Amino acid sequence: MLLVSRYIRHMPADISCQQFCKGVTKAISRHYWLRFPKNHMAAHPEERLTASAVIYSRVRREIWLVGDCHCLVGGDYYDNPKPYEQELAEMRAARVRELLAQGYKEADLRQSFDPAREVMIPRMLEVMHNQNITYAVIDGFPIPQRLVPVLTLNFQPWEIVLASDGYPQLAPTLAETEALLDEQRASDPLNIGRFKATKSFVIGNNSFDDRSYIRFSV
């Protein structure tokens, strides 16, 4: 995140999405090659520094969804989920139900170590080899442009919300979006119901994943 943020702060204002993908990839790969053999990082995607970014270009009036992030544009919702995320979440949810049937308590499955996640780890490591093949991430390896949605805005006024996938649902304000997250935590802290995730709400945490939210008008 720090490397990506640093790159964004210094990149040209008129940069294109394609140029951004190439430039941020070069910035991450330069960080690797100072420390790790290139062949090792190519063979072990689970060890790569990996991030997503949703970016608004004021000059180009475009929104770029690089990785699993989402946005609201004039009230319309757009996202770019990992294609295997739901499969992994379903695997974990099935295992949670098995463990509950075996006598585990909900609190047992809301610790920093979630025993239900073990069932999906082999598959998760397997699908990581599809990074920047079937889905886009910022990880120091070339990002296929076809996997990065670009939303182009016309010159009418727009209200935009950009967010990370730590929010299951987006609303027009941060307060409303946090309230939706609180409802999810109260009704299904294991994240195995209507909304399924690869993690639960750990006891003491007010979220199950990282979250970022910004709203602005253009």
Side-chain angles (χ1 to χ4, degrees), residues 4-5 19 23 46-47 51 62 87 89 96 99 103 116 125 153 158 161-162 172 176-177 181-182:
V4 174
S5 297
Q19 289 168 333
E46 73 278 5
E47 295 184 20
E62 293 176 343
E87 174 192 343
V96 166
L99 293 175
L125 295 176
L153 307 184
W158 293 98
V161 170
L162 309 179
E176 292 173 283
T177 303
L181 185 65
D182 288 342

Side-chain angles (χ1 to χ4, degrees), residues 139-158:
D139 69 351
F141 287 78
I143 302 169
Q145 196 63 40
R146 72 182 189 282
L147 301 176
V148 180
V150 175
L151 310 176
T152 302
L153 307 184
N154 60 26
F155 285 90
Q156 74 180 57
W158 293 98

Side-chain angles (χ1 to χ4, degrees), residues 70-144:
H70 50 171
C71 64
L72 290 175
V73 183
D76 292 330
Y77 178 72
Y78 302 89
D79 69 345
N80 188 35
K82 292 177 183 174
Y84 308 97
E85 192 79 4
Q86 195 57 37
E87 174 192 343
L88 296 172
E90 294 282 357
M91 290 175 65
R92 178 187 159 273
R95 182 55 177 160
V96 166
R97 294 191 184 95
E98 290 177 0
L99 293 175
L100 291 172
Q102 293 171 16
Y104 277 74
K105 304 299 181 185
E106 180 184 283
D108 299 330
L109 304 176
R110 294 183 58 198
Q111 305 299 320
S112 55
F113 170 73
D114 178 356
R117 280 177 60 84
E118 292 184 329
V119 71
M120 53 167 259
I121 296 300
R123 177 60 176 158
M124 184 172 71
L125 295 176
E126 179 184 336
V127 301
M128 282 181 176
H129 287 272
N130 289 312
Q131 287 183 190
N132 288 323
I133 298 173
T134 60
Y135 65 94
V137 293
I138 300 170
D139 69 351
F141 287 78
I143 302 169

Side-chain angles (χ1 to χ4, degrees), residues 60-76:
R60 295 176 178 271
R61 293 185 71 85
E62 293 176 343
I63 296 171
W64 312 331
L65 296 150
V66 190
D68 54 345
C69 38
H70 50 171
C71 64
L72 290 175
V73 183
D76 292 330

Side-chain angles (χ1 to χ4, degrees), residues 112 159 199:
S112 55
E159 184 164 280
K199 305 170 187 174

Side-chain angles (χ1 to χ4, degrees), residues 189-207:
L190 293 174
N191 288 330
I192 60 172
R194 183 177 60 85
F195 170 73
K196 296 179 179 66
T198 58
K199 305 170 187 174
S200 66
F201 287 83
V202 172
I203 292 174
N205 291 357
N206 59 8
S207 185

